[in-house]
Amino acid sequence: MTTCTGEDCANPTNLYLCGQCTSDLQAWLDKVPELLDDLFTTMAKLDKTAPQRHEGGGGLSTGSAMPLRYGALELRQALGLWTHANAESLAKDQRAGNFLPELKQLIDNANSCIDNPPEIRVITTCTCGGKVVTENPKPEAGEADSGVCEDCENYYEQTEAMTQFRIHRATPENMQTRHALKWIRENANLSIKSTDVRNWAREGKLEPTNPNRSKREHPTYNIADILKIHYRHVGESRRATNF
Ligand SMILES: [Zn+2]
Ligand SMILES: [Zn+2]
């Protein structure tokens, strides 16, 4: 006889786990198959809510939304290792004392993934044209945001300030509304209404770059400013262009 290696247990046993710890472990193992099914459903939902893959990517192939559902997929693989496990056999393993805490942790993580599936945000556009996405919550102001390209799996890390700076440098300044919206349509593939621009300007959200213009002159704007307010209105997840 030796002592059970189960957590907080000192029962005598001939194996590494006592009878009580073995049946506890089995009870948790029995939860695994249903969790695998639920994780699968969560993955399917994530695929559906995921931003559509860039054209030419071959539609919804198995690999299409991989980075998006990676958390659920990873958990499913880790849990999958326990599906055919049997507590009585596991009790003969000298690491048996660690199995239950490990399994409980995985099950906890699986449950929270199922209850609160990660929200997918598009943080920028990859140089390949794919969307750079992440499951992580939006970082605090000034902290870096990071994500992975859906298509080529390139990793990106950036701060909001870096993004604004890049957009400012890459887009024209001082344009009349009509020209600005045309530029945005052609280069960013986004359609913004001129009435929206007029309303934003009236509400003070959008500053013209020629505040001292004469009555005959049209107001002019920086494209970057228009885009910034547009994204604020439609939600950051719609930031699906290079700008
Ligand atoms: Zn025990
Ligand atoms: Zn890419």
Side-chain angles (χ1 to χ4, degrees):
M1 282 270 174
T2 55
T3 304
C4 172
T5 59
E7 222 179 5
D8 300 324
C9 182
N11 289 341
T13 173
N14 290 319
L15 304 170
Y16 292 97
L17 289 181
C18 71
Q20 181 59 53
C21 289
T22 306
S23 62
D24 280 357
L25 180 57
Q26 189 58 53
W28 285 88
L29 286 170
D30 290 342
K31 297 174 196 268
V32 170
E34 198 183 324
L35 278 169
L36 289 177
D37 286 350
D38 290 349
L39 280 173
F40 189 78
T41 311
T42 301
M43 280 163 55
K45 274 189 212 149
L46 286 176
D47 275 354
K48 229 180 261 167
T49 55
Q52 283 306 300
R53 190 177 162 85
H54 190 250
E55 278 169 46
L60 282 175
S61 62
T62 33
S64 71
M66 281 291 280
L68 309 180
R69 58 180 193 185
Y70 192 64
L73 180 76
E74 209 179 22
L75 275 168
R76 205 163 175 273
Q77 282 171 343
L79 267 178
L81 300 174
W82 296 91
T83 28
H84 298 294
N86 164 293
E88 281 185 31
S89 322
L90 293 176
K92 295 175 192 152
D93 192 307
Q94 56 178 339
R95 294 164 301 156
N98 299 324
F99 291 159
L100 187 53
E102 277 171 25
L103 181 59
K104 273 184 181 167
Q105 184 63 57
L106 269 179
I107 288 178
D108 268 0
N109 294 348
N111 276 325
S112 67
C113 181
I114 291 160
D115 295 340
N116 299 301
E119 200 169 313
I120 290 131
R121 290 185 301 118
V122 178
I123 65 171
T124 187
T125 299
C126 180
T127 48
C128 82
K131 290 170 189 169
V132 177
V133 295
T134 179
E135 290 175 358
N136 300 327
K138 202 170 164 54
E140 301 285 312
E143 280 177 22
D145 206 359
S146 60
V148 176
C149 172
E150 274 191 290
D151 286 346
C152 72
E153 301 195 9
N154 256 347
Y155 176 80
Y156 280 79
E157 192 175 279
Q158 64 186 6
T159 62
E160 186 55 29
M162 278 157 65
T163 306
Q164 287 304 331
F165 182 70
R166 186 179 58 76
I167 293 174
H168 256 287
R169 285 221 324 206
T171 56
E173 299 183 327
N174 307 318
M175 290 184 98
Q176 289 180 18
T177 309
R178 191 161 54 92
H179 301 300
L181 297 185
K182 183 166 181 269
W183 190 96
I184 290 171
R185 201 162 46 241
E186 287 171 359
N187 294 277
N189 198 22
L190 287 172
S191 157
I192 299 176
K193 292 196 203 90
S194 58
T195 48
D196 283 341
V197 172
R198 214 174 303 136
N199 288 336
W200 296 333
R202 211 184 41 220
E203 293 161 15
K205 293 174 183 162
L206 179 64
E207 299 282 349
T209 54
N210 57 347
N212 301 319
R213 65 187 176 275
S214 72
K215 275 189 179 159
R216 286 185 189 177
E217 280 178 285
H218 289 286
T220 55
Y221 303 99
N222 292 337
I223 300 266
D225 295 338
I226 296 178
L227 288 174
K228 190 169 146 189
I229 292 151
H230 171 71
Y231 292 135
R232 210 179 284 159
H233 273 254
V234 298
E236 283 292 323
S237 63
R238 302 292 284 277
R239 174 172 283 170
T241 78
N242 280 315
F243 311 106

